[in-house]
Every structure is written in C-alpha cells, then in structure tokens.
Amino acid sequence: MDLVRRPILCALGWSIALLAGALPVLAQESPAVAPPAVAAAEVAKAEATPSPRVTRRRTLVDLTISPFKSYGVGGDQLAPPGTLTDNQIFFNGQLDIYVLPRLRLYERRENHVDLGGRQFKKGKPSYGGLSDDLEYDTGLAYLVNRQLEVSEEFMYRYRVCCPGSGDPQNPTPRIEQGLRTEVSYLAGPLTRIGRPLRVRVSGNYVNHHLDLGLGLPAGTPVLGKTWVSKVAATLSVPVYGQTRVIPYFTVEHYSDFYDNNLTPSMTNRTFYGFRVRGTSFASYRAFVKSEHQTNPGGDVSHKVELYLESSFRLHY
C-alpha cells in the first residue's frame, strides 16, 4: 500500500508548491516563445515537432496538468449495472526539472482509462466495464541533438479500481514495475511543424513476481524478471500552410508483463486525431484510440475510445 501512495503524495506535493510559486509569473506578460512539448500522455510523448528545449528561452521547471474525458465508442463497451463507468474527469501530468540545458529530471503521471468490450466466458457474454490504471514514471532524459533523445526511468503501474491493487481483499493485485530505457528519434524533412515522423523504441526490464493467492497448475513454468519491448511511430501532417491545428496518426506494438500473469500480453494500438496549439500556457487534443490485445487464450476485448484533453503548462 505504501508503494501505491508514495508517488501520489510526491506528485501532489510538487504540484501544490509549483502552482503557488507560479501565480505571480502568470500575471506577467509572456514573451513570444515556442510552446514546449506536451508529454503528459502516452500519445503526447510521440509528437513530431522538434524539441523546443534548445530553441526557446531556458526554463528551470515545467509543470503540465492535463484534464481529459474519455468516451467508449464501441457498441459492446458497456459498464455492468452497479459498477463504475467513465462519466468523470481524469488527470494526467508531468513535472520537468532542467538540470542542464539538455538534461532533465521528470515525474510523469499517466491515467490509463477505458471501457472494456464484450468477452465470452464459458460461452456466456461478459462485460469488463471501467479499467482504471495509474502509472508513474520517474526518470532522467538527455537531449542528444534536435532529433534524438534518450531516457532512463523507473515505471510503476497499478490498478486503481476495482478491486484496487492496494485492496487487502485482492489476492492477485495488478501491478507492473521496472526500469525502462527509451530512445526517441525525429525523422523526415523539415516542415512548418518540424520533422513529421517520430519513432520511439523502448525496453522495460520488468520486476515480475507472483502472489501467494495465485493458484498455479502443476508444472507451470514461471518467469521472473524479463524484458518487454515497445515500438511506436507517429506521423504529423502540416495542413493549409498553418501550424496551429496538426493532424497526426500513431501506430504502436508493445508488451506488458503484470504481476500474477504467467506470460506477457501483446497489444496492437492505433491513434488518430489532431492537436491544437493554443498559447504557451494551453493546448488541446482530440483523438481516438483503437486497441486490441492478444493472449494465449485468444478471447480478448477490442477497445475504441474517444479522448478530449486540455493541457495547461506553467514555466519557471
């Protein structure tokens, strides 16, 4: 339970302290500078604009807070009666501390929220309802040049509800944690919005284990710590000679290995939508995520979600 609370308390304390100090800054006139990259959500990490950390006035601290609303648009994505659904506002966020012009420490909060589609268990339909996982990534990133960035982070993801990973009545909590190495590269010709293609490759050395409440068939092989990978590519498209509204398309293939799972799961995912560059303080996104997971059993749900998100950034 302490492992679940500690990153939440740290992120909350940092956010309150930074918001209190940022109020006088927001009251001043801001110079015309390029907006920083939004890294609060998994798709925002794949934006195809060149990194502004070497082109804009250097800041010491950036804080991004991103409220969003999700909508399950698949016909079979339903919440069973009496269970939670996605009729609420969720929050992502990121805190960046610039140690050197090209080196930063960061803490990222990502809320994985969606509605599960229909599955069949023993020949009967079953609806998963709301899936709500929180992920905290604490890491160090180095900007090698305008096109290449490498990072090393500790990731911790856990199920919020229901039942939550910290619920003492839950014998098999859903948790994934480990050290993740990531390389992000911008490619393609320079356009009004920067280089249009971003390729991202990561490897996660998962600290996997089983809990005592999990029943194992005799002779079942058990994996401990192991590597899982992720490959993603995002294409952003300049339209009508402007730089404010930017359509994009992302494809991902990756694996997860949660505690109490006997084998890693594999997922194919696509995103399509657009970003709206507002001011140095605010920007907006609307996108659709389509996700299909595979496992040895073969009976998995397909999820299609619409997300509407605003991002608000404070700079020191």
Side-chain angles (χ1 to χ4, degrees):
M1 189 68 176
D2 291 339
L3 289 176
V4 175
R5 289 177 177 174
R6 188 176 299 116
I8 301 176
L9 295 176
C10 291
L12 181 60
W14 283 357
S15 299
I16 293 174
L18 291 174
L19 285 170
L23 292 178
V25 177
L26 294 177
Q28 299 175 5
E29 181 179 353
S30 300
V33 295
V38 179
E42 198 161 318
V43 182
K45 293 192 296 183
E47 288 189 359
T49 53
S51 175
R53 298 185 186 95
V54 296
T55 58
R56 64 178 174 87
R57 178 179 59 82
R58 181 189 173 193
T59 60
L60 297 178
V61 177
D62 283 344
L63 174 64
T64 303
I65 301 174
S66 302
F68 71 93
K69 178 71 174 69
S70 65
Y71 302 87
V73 297
D76 61 350
Q77 291 175 237
L78 303 173
T83 65
L84 294 178
T85 185
D86 59 351
N87 57 351
Q88 55 188 298
I89 302 296
F90 300 93
F91 290 88
N92 293 327
Q94 178 154 325
L95 175 69
D96 291 290
I97 301 175
Y98 298 94
V99 182
L100 297 170
R102 294 178 181 270
L103 186 68
R104 62 186 171 93
L105 294 167
Y106 62 88
E107 175 78 11
R108 180 169 53 242
R109 180 188 196 269
E110 186 169 351
N111 205 324
H112 301 271
V113 177
D114 52 41
L115 282 175
R118 181 176 57 192
Q119 296 177 259
F120 287 90
K121 297 181 179 180
K122 297 181 179 181
K124 296 182 178 181
S126 173
Y127 297 88
L130 180 68
S131 172
D132 186 2
D133 285 7
L134 267 180
E135 179 179 339
Y136 287 91
D137 304 322
T138 305
L140 183 68
Y142 180 68
L143 189 66
V144 179
N145 55 46
R146 293 176 63 88
Q147 294 176 249
L148 177 65
E149 185 176 66
V150 296
S151 62
E152 185 71 25
E153 64 188 26
F154 176 78
M155 65 83 62
Y156 185 83
R157 176 173 173 171
Y158 64 96
R159 176 58 55 90
V160 176
C161 187
C162 290
S165 298
D167 189 340
Q169 303 300 318
N170 183 7
T172 57
R174 176 184 170 94
I175 296 174
E176 185 180 37
Q177 58 186 312
L179 285 174
R180 181 160 55 201
T181 303
E182 183 171 284
V183 178
S184 180
Y185 184 73
L186 287 167
L190 281 173
T191 69
R192 293 182 179 88
I193 61 171
R195 299 187 187 274
L197 179 65
R198 180 182 291 273
V199 179
R200 185 161 45 92
V201 179
S202 65
N204 187 5
Y205 190 57
V206 179
N207 183 13
H208 177 263
H209 70 276
L210 305 179
D211 289 283
L212 291 176
L214 182 69
L216 291 176
T220 302
V222 176
L223 292 176
K225 296 180 180 179
T226 189
W227 287 94
V228 295
S229 62
K230 181 174 185 176
V231 179
T234 295
L235 178 66
S236 297
V237 182
V239 292
Y240 299 119
Q242 51 82 45
T243 61
R244 189 166 294 274
V245 180
I246 306 172
Y248 67 91
F249 179 75
T250 298
V251 293
E252 294 180 346
H253 176 76
Y254 64 94
S255 297
D256 284 310
F257 197 21
Y258 297 98
D259 289 349
N260 304 306
N261 284 358
L262 301 183
T263 58
S265 62
M266 289 191 299
T267 302
N268 295 312
R269 178 188 286 172
T270 60
F271 299 87
Y272 59 90
F274 60 90
R275 303 186 300 274
V276 179
R277 291 174 170 174
T279 66
S280 63
F281 173 66
S283 62
Y284 313 94
R285 288 194 306 150
F287 62 93
V288 173
K289 179 187 75 173
S290 179
E291 178 178 301
H292 184 77
Q293 188 181 85
T294 62
N295 64 26
D299 182 22
V300 294
S301 64
H302 180 78
K303 304 172 184 177
V304 182
E305 294 277 328
L306 169 65
Y307 295 87
L308 303 178
E309 178 187 79
S310 299
S311 290
F312 305 99
R313 296 180 295 276
L314 308 177
H315 318 294
Y316 284 86

